Each structure stands twice: as structure tokens, then as C-alpha cells.
Amino acid sequence: MTDSTYGPGAGASPSGLAARRRRRRWLRYAGVGTAVVVLAAGGVGWAVYRKLDGNITEDTDAAAELARYEKERPTPLVHDAQNILLIGSDTRSGRGNHKYGRDLGTQRSDTTILLHLAADRQSATAVSLPRDLMVRIPSCRRPDGSRTRAQFAQFNWAFEFGGTACTIRTVEKLTNIRVDHHMVVDFAGFKDMVDAVDGVQVCLKAPVDDAAAKLRLPAGRQTLNGEQALGFVRARKSLGNGSDTERMDRQQEFLGALVNKVRSNDVLLNPVKLYPVLDAATSSLTTDPGLASLRGLYELVRGLRNIPTERVQFLTVPRRSYTYDANRDELVEPAADELFTRLRTDEPVQVSRARPDVSNASTTSHSDESSYENGDDGGEYEEEEDDSGEGAEGYADSGEYEDGGEWSDEKPDDPTHTPSPAPTFRGNTAAGSTCT
């Protein structure tokens, strides 16, 4: 048998073997490098998640207090519908809040909004509750462990008396709507949110010069930073007629513009901009245990992202000046009860920016919306109210429980009350909160 000699095949030369070795080494290095990048990215992602998750403050005290009164709380009527109470605290304690006044060791709810999310997540309705609304506040646990007595007083005192739990119980007694979750944000948190989205645009019909709100702006389209935005939503004397109702209208329009800004692709699709928004949002929140995590917030927000802006609605509960004090509010019935019933049963609520005819506001029915603007009957609000608590007895004495629970704050019947068949309330939508 003849031995055969085979010549070297392709790549068998010394130079070919070296090239193959270099290629294998490169692939190994690339694989290791890719693994390192993936692990690093995962590590960074986990670190970011842990930071954002840890930013949220869990309100366990409120949860424990509400559990004590579970039997008296309303029963949810519609599965998957949710009601979230949003509270803006006027506390002067904490980072950056001292500049807005002396820290007296107390706080009240500067802004309170009941947000209803429809079960099908096709609409969201935010109802502002006036801070000066006269309501029945139940006996609440104070921070020091003592308890207040049930009394008839202005709504924002509930937050001072017993914090979030007292406010939630007051809202539930007022509306018969179960509050599923709550969120509390202070001045600093609000400013951080606005700054995180690089400001929010508003349109001013006239210049603003308000020393109390530290706000000075020209007329026209303006992009407000956090400090300006806080002054804009809190100002009274220099904007509109000075009423708290008009201030709530302005807050609602601003929140609609903020919703539009956050939902814009410029924010949601840009990680560099999205992270500061998430950081500011989570850092500023105190929530119930069910929402005190990124997972909890994600589950909430996930159902909201596809709601059309025209179905994100803002309105103020039907109100008028309180019969016995023009500087306080009371509900307009039966309009308020109709609104609460529709939210409780998850029925549609419509809003319209059109104002009713107010030419005969002094003689027409109080049940329509012509009396929503405080000042129709001469009442005006002051920029700063008495936070000392003095004068509370004037309201509390007329609303104490007698003989085990009956209220003695009887008011004369108003024969002008007439039901309103139209489920439409004056308000606006997020779609209408953009400058045109």
C-alpha cells in the first residue's frame, strides 16, 4: 500500500492556526464582556429598583387605626373599581417646608382629592373636596394617643386632629364611598415632581403678582418650575375672585397639564428623564401599605396608562357658602349625593366647562351649580386662616353627639332644593388642560 502524503489544508498553515486562535480568544472575551455588561446592568437595575422602592414611606399607623373601625367603613360595591384619596399636606416641618411658615407642630390638608378609577379603567374622575367644607368629623386618635370628640367642623381639621386615618373616616362618612388607598404629599414633594418633568406649562389670562404666594408672572403661556407651580396652585388673592373654589379649579387644570406632561413620550420613553420623575414621585409619597412599593404603584398605574386624556376628569364637589358663615362651605344637595352615588356604583360622570347662568343666583335653586363660586353671596376667603384652632367650639358645639350619637346641628329645610336629572358637573378634563 502506497503511503500518501496529504498537503496542508486551508487554514492549516501557521498563520491560519494563529488566526483561528485569535478569533476564539476574541469570542471568549466578547462573551465574558457581554456577561459582565448584563450582570452590571442587572445590578444597576436592581439597585435602582431598591432605591425607588425604598423611597416610599409606608403609613402603617393609619392602616392600624382604620382596621379598628373596619365594621363602620363602607362596603365596596363594584369589583375592580378603586377610590384613592390624594392629600396635599400643608406641614411646615421636613425638607424645605419651613419657608412657607412657622412649624407649629401641626398640619392640615391643604388639598384633598378623591380619585375614582372605573372598574374597566376607561375613565378616571378626580373630585376636589374643599378644605373649608363643614363636615362631621368622628372621634379620632391624636398622635399622642388621646382621642378627640366627634364634632362638626371644617374638613381640613380632620387631618390635624388625627392624620390620614381621621381624614379617610371623615370622607367615608361624608360620601359613603370606601377609600381603598391613600397618598400624602407635602410642598417639597410637589415641587420636586414638577421640576422632574422640567416644568409644566400653563396659560395666564392676566399677569400675576402675589407677594404672599411669592409668585410674579406675565400674562400668556408660561412654563412653571416647582416653586412657581406651588405658588400658582396655592395662591388666592391675586388670581380670580379669591375663592377657594376657583383655586381648586386652578389646581385641577394644573394637575391635568401635569398628567399630559408625564404621559408625553418625551418623558416616558426617555430613561434620563423618567428616572428623576420616578425618584421624585416615590420620595414624596406616604401611602397605605398596599401602595408602598414599586410593584403596588405599578399595578395601579398600569391600568391608567391607556385612559384617554378626555376621560381623565376633574371637578369640585357641588358646594356653596355655609349658611351660618360665608367663609365656610357646605354641600349642595341633591347634586352632591348624586355625584357620590354615581362614584360609589361606578356609573359614568360627565363634566363640562360651561358655567350655568348665574344672573339669578341669589333667588334660584341652591341645588344647581350657579352657587359654586364662593363670593356669589358676598363671602370671600382670606389668604391665611386661623390655624390656632380657636373658634372651633363655635362649630363643634353645634355638632356634638347627644344621647349616644344624634347630631344636633339641625338646619332649616331649604324649599328651593330641586333634583337635577343631568349627571353632568362643572369641571374639565386633562385634554382641556393644554394651552391653545
Side-chain angles (χ1 to χ4, degrees), residues 15 26 64 86 110 141 234 236:
S15 59
W26 184 88
L86 311 176
D110 195 60
R141 182 181 182 275
R234 298 191 69 237
R236 291 193 190 186

Side-chain angles (χ1 to χ4, degrees), residues 174-177 317-318 331-344 425:
L174 178 71
T175 65
N176 200 26
I177 295 173
V317 65
L331 295 180
V332 172
E333 298 294 3
D337 185 61
E338 180 180 16
L339 172 62
F340 298 150
T341 299
R342 297 188 74 85
L343 296 179
R344 186 166 55 249
F425 301 85

Side-chain angles (χ1 to χ4, degrees), residues 325-363:
D325 186 341
N327 291 320
R328 298 292 179 259
D329 293 331
E330 65 183 359
L331 295 180
V332 172
E333 298 294 3
D337 185 61
E338 180 180 16
L339 172 62
F340 298 150
T341 299
R342 297 188 74 85
L343 296 179
R344 186 166 55 249
T345 56
D346 199 33
E347 296 180 48
V349 170
Q350 299 181 17
V351 298
S352 171
R353 296 179 68 91
R355 293 177 181 270
D357 179 15
V358 297
S359 58
N360 297 315
S362 61
T363 59

